[in-house]
Amino acid sequence: MSDTDGRADGRRGFADLLLDLRVQAGLSQEELADRAGLSVRSIREMEAGRVARPRKDSVRLLASALGLRPDDTDRFLAAAGHGSVRPVVRPVEPSPPVVSVADAVPTGLRWRGTRPIPDGLVGREEELFELEALLRQNRLVTLVGPGGVGKTELALAAADRFSGADTTVVVVDLTTVQRDAAVPSAILDAFGTAPGTSDLDDVLSGRRPGDLVIVEDNAEHVLDGVATVANRMVRSFPGIGVLVTSRIPLGLPDEVVRRVQVLGVPANDEDFEAISASPAVEMFCRRVARVRPGFTLTPSNAPTVARLCRRLDGLPLALELAAARAGSLSVEAILAALDDRFRLLSGPRRFGAPHQRTLADTIAWSVDALSDPARQLLYRTSVLGSPFTLEAVAGVCTGTPIDESDVPMLLAELVEKSLLQPVHEFEQLYGARYKLLETIREHAYAGLSSQDDDLTEFRNRAVEWCTTYVSGLEGAWSSPDRDRRYRAAHANSALFEVALARAGELGEWDTAARIVLGFRIAWQYQASVAESGIRWATLCASNVSDKEVGGRLLAIAGRLSSLTGDIRGARRHYEEARTLIPGETEMGLVARGGWVSSGSHLLDTQSLAEIPALVEDARKHGDVQRSATVQATCGLALLRWGRLVEAKELLLAWEAALVNPGVYPDEIAYMALSRVDLELGNLSGARHWAQLARDSQASDDPERTKVAGCLAMVEYHDGRYDEARALLDQADADIRGHRGYFDYLVMLYRSRLARAAGEAEQARVTILDALNRLLLEGRVVYLLEVLPEAVAVLHALGRSEAGDAVCGQLLAWQRSMDPPMLPTAWAVLQESCESASAADGWPEPDPSAAVQRLANDVLGALSAPLL
């Protein structure tokens, strides 16, 4: 559906007018977008003349942002194709030159049927641009998605954006059509023809390309009828474009299918900026403001709103219905009531298709149309958690009326009918995975619960399947395909959570312990999932009767606690584990190595004293992989303690062991080698090891945040600041999205880059973040690297007296305390402390307490208001 020259000229006239008015107002595209509440991309596209006919509400927002008077606003709308007034527009400011468009834009737009709701779309700008392009290049486009996802509003807005001044848009509401044969009559009714006075060919023939767009809404229940008519329209009438909304594709060769996704939800509850940017949050807050004037998102209510939007999956209909309750309920009360969401979200929606006025009706409309085997499979998958794999479905959900060989076909049916969502993230690593929107899962779970003892049966089968599965992971740690096997397990981590919960309910703690022990490595692939592993490992440890099994479980809890930043918790778990497990066994070495590692974080000298005996026992152990890993762990602990030469010796012993079968690269050891060489002044060696760390790492590894921080450190010391900044941005995004583990180096080097750029305030905020996080997590040893940077930030802020006071304390530390500051940190301190002298009263008896006291002093100095 290509443009006519006349429509292109109309767009160009409005584009020039908008550009002139913006320039006269002295606004940049970014400033105008901010004032109007539109995206910068929208402004850019309109000024370039690439928008056929800007939406009326968008034009009104622009007029308001430009400060146009009412009569000028009317002319401005006419220039955009929304009126018949000759567009001569003057800005509000006195004595500006008059801007005019020589020829009026054609205004013959004809729209039949439902119009787009003003402010009806949030967070769909990219989809709108894509749809506009698709409509220009293709004759038939189908929007597919689950009920309530917003297909109708998106289709109407896309038709509005695509249409030019001479385009007819006809919207056909198919919800009341009961038979496939009645579809042509419904289309004629939408055109406004009297019954029996014409046939469909009469109203479709003679159209030029771009003259007519037909929107066929809610087509899934008369799919054959819609497909038959749509196929004839696009094949026989080249001037027509067809846009269909359906929960199921039409299956035509000329059809272009686009799946409409739910709105993006916040990844966490802490980042106010990220929560504010979430389309789901924006839509919810806009709708709440309609029933509760003055409601806005604030730092205090943002966590609750974020959790609510996540619980509702970002599903627009659910968000709208929940917001409608805000007139009488607080957001907290709405969130608390979501356990019975179908009752809460039963109204009071008075518009839209009858099957979309309550959330329950919307889901039931799709479920009722399924075949019995597909419906039963949907019900049964509700016990699996989300996401899950085909293997898990076949293992847990089969049985009359579902044969295992039919599972792929039935899953495809559920995906096609928008009741099941494929998970494409990390698909090459994890294979095909599927997820249920929480709203659909609850509907299916209720359906399964209503079928006698089916719910109990399939929850018990989940326990049986997971128990069998983990028995197949025995020996995976030393196998060549260990990553593949552990990733396959992690792909069903939600199902393992279900199985553990059921085993706990039944009091089968030995079974639960076997599942935890077998699954232990798979929990490490995602930061947020690792927290679940800690909970189950400690819970099982407190309930099993075998002391050694309890110790092994506590060692797992210690490892996962260390990864997630709870160093004190890790130390506590490892401490207890090493008293329950023989120290020479594999898990005994794990517990001792973890105890040494966590102790080095906490500046515990007992951990340092343990290293020689631990290394000797590890070298005697028969498992070369375990021996090498323990040596690498001790090498990293020595690095933290400033024993660089000894650390490198153990780390190189690990690297030498890689020639053995069953010993595999570990990015943590490579990063430790990189750090040792950097501190020793060998920048090329540091780069070599950092690149090996990156190359040995998979894209789904949550440790990638630490690899990015390691690479950024090398780039920074090589003077490649832009490269360092890009790596830090990548790592920071992963940390904030809980896809990667926190790394203090990200904050440390972000502060150094900000300080180098003269952005002292940004450096202050960043270094405060690093200090607070390290104190909270218990990573005390890293404070010795961050404190010198904090001193430099104090000087950059003009707080030299406070900076010199801390500097004097750190100078005294370096002279008398163990461990010393590493060379890179010491260099920063020396640059910042030309006027300071070492403080009295050192050495202090407790290194950990001393450095934490210094950190708290610095926090006070950095947080004090400027005088």
Side-chain angles (χ1 to χ4, degrees), residues 175-316:
T175 54
T176 59
V177 178
Q178 301 300 317
R179 296 178 298 108
D180 291 317
V183 171
S185 296
I187 296 173
L188 286 170
D189 290 344
F191 271 93
T193 61
T197 60
S198 60
D199 62 24
L200 195 55
D201 287 1
D202 292 337
V203 298
L204 298 181
S205 59
R207 304 279 180 172
R208 293 181 302 169
D211 278 0
L212 176 62
V213 177
I214 299 177
V215 179
E216 298 185 67
D217 192 28
N218 293 296
E220 55 273 347
H221 62 297
V222 283
L223 208 63
D224 289 342
V226 172
T228 300
V229 175
N231 187 56
R232 184 158 62 91
M233 285 194 290
V234 299
R235 293 296 181 95
S236 303
F237 302 99
I240 299 170
V242 181
L243 180 58
V244 178
T245 75
S246 174
R247 302 185 191 187
I248 311 169
L250 301 181
L252 295 175
D254 294 321
E255 178 185 29
V256 175
V257 178
R258 284 296 178 270
R259 292 199 173 272
V260 181
Q261 303 298 324
V262 293
L263 296 175
V265 299
N268 60 71
D269 303 339
E270 296 84 30
D271 188 341
F272 181 70
E273 183 178 343
I275 293 172
S276 303
S278 160
V281 169
E282 182 182 355
M283 178 178 182
F284 178 76
C285 291
R286 285 193 189 183
R287 297 301 185 263
V288 171
R290 290 179 177 179
V291 296
R292 192 195 299 179
F295 178 86
T296 58
L297 188 73
T298 65
S300 60
N301 66 24
T304 304
V305 172
R307 287 193 291 272
L308 186 148
C309 290
R310 279 202 303 275
R311 286 287 308 277
L312 294 175
D313 302 305
L315 190 67

Side-chain angles (χ1 to χ4, degrees), residues 335-652:
L335 177 61
L338 282 184
D339 288 339
D340 190 4
R341 69 180 63 198
F342 294 111
R343 183 177 179 184
L344 175 73
L345 307 181
S346 60
R349 203 173 194 249
R350 305 298 183 199
F351 65 93
H355 63 275
Q356 289 188 341
R357 292 182 183 173
T358 72
L359 198 59
D361 290 342
T362 299
I363 305 303
W365 171 266
S366 295
V367 175
D368 291 346
L370 294 172
S371 63
D372 185 52
R375 186 184 308 109
Q376 291 302 320
L377 187 64
L378 178 70
Y379 287 170
R380 295 173 187 182
T381 57
S382 67
V383 305
L384 300 181
S386 194
F388 50 81
T389 65
L390 184 151
E391 183 182 13
V393 176
V396 177
C397 302
T398 51
T400 306
I402 301 167
D403 188 85
E404 185 173 338
S405 62
D406 292 333
V407 167
M409 176 190 68
L410 293 173
L411 287 175
E413 180 181 344
L414 293 174
V415 170
E416 183 181 69
K417 294 184 177 179
S418 303
L419 288 164
L420 199 62
Q421 314 293 312
V423 179
H424 297 300
E425 187 179 37
F426 303 131
E427 189 171 14
Q428 289 186 332
L429 292 169
Y430 291 95
R433 291 182 294 163
Y434 307 90
K435 68 178 180 180
L436 286 169
L437 295 180
E438 184 64 17
T439 301
I440 295 174
R441 192 199 70 79
E442 288 194 16
H443 181 95
Y445 198 80
L448 186 65
S449 301
S450 68
Q451 298 182 166
D452 300 325
D453 297 325
D454 283 2
L455 178 59
T456 299
E457 175 189 347
F458 289 105
R459 292 185 73 209
N460 290 342
R461 288 177 66 173
V463 177
E464 295 168 8
W465 186 83
C466 289
T467 305
T468 303
Y469 189 99
V470 296
S471 66
L473 289 175
E474 292 180 6
W477 172 255
S478 300
S479 67
D481 62 343
R482 67 173 183 174
D483 281 338
R484 180 193 63 78
R485 293 169 68 183
Y486 284 130
R487 283 195 181 89
H490 177 78
N492 287 303
S493 58
L495 174 56
F496 279 88
E497 181 87 13
V498 170
L500 287 166
R502 180 57 178 164
E505 287 177 15
L506 297 172
E508 297 177 358
W509 292 107
D510 289 341
T511 297
R514 285 198 297 275
I515 294 174
V516 171
L517 290 168
F519 195 70
R520 64 186 187 276
I521 304 300
W523 264 313
Q524 299 178 21
Y525 283 100
Q526 188 174 342
S528 56
V529 173
E531 295 174 358
S532 173
I534 298 167
R535 180 168 60 88
W536 283 112
T538 54
L539 190 58
C540 289
S542 64
N543 283 281
V544 294
S545 56
D546 190 309
K547 299 288 187 185
E548 186 172 337
V549 170
R552 295 170 66 193
L553 290 163
L554 289 170
I556 294 169
R559 168 62 176 159
L560 295 173
S561 295
S562 179
L563 288 173
T564 54
D566 182 8
I567 299 301
R568 296 180 185 89
R571 178 72 164 178
R572 185 175 62 256
H573 295 317
Y574 282 131
E575 176 77 47
E576 188 175 354
R578 66 198 287 266
T579 67
L580 299 173
I581 315 173
E584 298 78 20
T585 64
E586 179 180 354
M587 289 303 291
L589 292 172
V590 169
R592 292 168 66 192
W595 185 78
V596 164
S597 178
S598 57
S600 68
H601 279 284
L602 295 165
L603 294 181
D604 184 345
T605 55
Q606 288 181 311
S607 298
L608 198 63
E610 173 81 3
I611 289 178
L614 177 56
V615 169
E616 183 178 353
D617 288 345
R619 287 172 174 168
K620 293 176 182 177
H621 192 266
D623 189 326
V624 181
Q625 169 71 52
R626 179 56 60 199
S627 173
T629 300
V630 169
Q631 291 184 78
T633 299
C634 292
L636 184 53
L638 288 169
L639 163 60
R640 296 186 188 112
W641 215 273
R643 309 290 174 83
L644 299 176
V645 175
E646 298 168 68
K648 189 168 185 178
E649 180 182 345
L650 286 178
L651 290 165
L652 287 175

Side-chain angles (χ1 to χ4, degrees), residues 124-180:
R124 299 291 195 191
E125 200 65 27
E126 290 186 12
E127 288 98 323
L128 279 175
F129 276 111
E130 182 188 15
L131 278 175
E132 184 182 3
L134 287 175
L135 287 169
R136 297 190 187 288
Q137 299 164 11
N138 303 277
R139 303 286 312 290
L140 172 61
V141 178
T142 302
L143 298 182
V144 175
V149 81
K151 301 182 294 294
T152 297
E153 285 304 320
L154 182 58
L156 296 177
D160 189 32
R161 176 168 289 193
F162 163 79
S163 59
D166 294 317
T167 304
T168 297
V169 177
V170 177
V171 182
V172 186
D173 184 358
L174 297 167
T175 54
T176 59
V177 178
Q178 301 300 317
R179 296 178 298 108
D180 291 317

Side-chain angles (χ1 to χ4, degrees), residues 607-796:
S607 298
L608 198 63
E610 173 81 3
I611 289 178
L614 177 56
V615 169
E616 183 178 353
D617 288 345
R619 287 172 174 168
K620 293 176 182 177
H621 192 266
D623 189 326
V624 181
Q625 169 71 52
R626 179 56 60 199
S627 173
T629 300
V630 169
Q631 291 184 78
T633 299
C634 292
L636 184 53
L638 288 169
L639 163 60
R640 296 186 188 112
W641 215 273
R643 309 290 174 83
L644 299 176
V645 175
E646 298 168 68
K648 189 168 185 178
E649 180 182 345
L650 286 178
L651 290 165
L652 287 175
W654 164 82
E655 196 261 345
L658 293 176
V659 298
N660 294 287
V663 184
Y664 305 104
D666 185 325
E667 70 275 3
I668 300 300
Y670 278 138
M671 284 190 285
L673 279 165
S674 175
R675 186 63 189 273
V676 168
D677 269 347
L678 185 70
E679 297 296 343
L680 291 174
N682 180 7
L683 189 59
S684 61
R687 182 178 293 280
H688 167 72
W689 298 119
Q691 288 173 341
L692 284 176
R694 179 192 59 198
D695 296 342
S696 67
Q697 185 180 53
S699 60
D700 66 327
D701 190 342
E703 297 278 12
R704 64 185 174 274
T705 54
K706 298 180 180 180
V707 172
C710 177
L711 284 163
M713 181 174 58
V714 174
E715 299 291 9
Y716 176 87
H717 287 282
D718 200 20
R720 296 158 58 91
Y721 296 149
D722 289 342
E723 289 83 353
R725 188 174 288 105
L727 286 163
L728 295 176
D729 288 343
Q730 168 195 326
D732 194 40
D734 278 346
I735 293 168
R736 291 180 184 277
H738 290 293
R739 293 179 58 195
Y741 297 124
F742 171 77
D743 181 31
Y744 75 103
L745 288 175
V746 173
M747 304 302 172
L748 177 61
Y749 278 85
R750 190 176 290 285
S751 175
R752 289 182 179 173
L753 286 166
R755 188 164 51 82
E759 299 168 354
E761 177 58 23
Q762 180 60 48
R764 184 188 74 86
V765 171
T766 303
I767 211 67
L768 271 173
D769 193 1
L771 286 167
N772 278 312
R773 187 69 180 260
L774 291 174
L775 284 167
L776 176 67
E777 294 187 350
R779 300 183 191 271
V780 178
V781 68
Y782 295 141
L783 291 170
L784 291 172
E785 296 179 56
V786 174
L787 284 171
E789 172 63 19
V791 170
V793 172
L794 284 170
H795 283 288

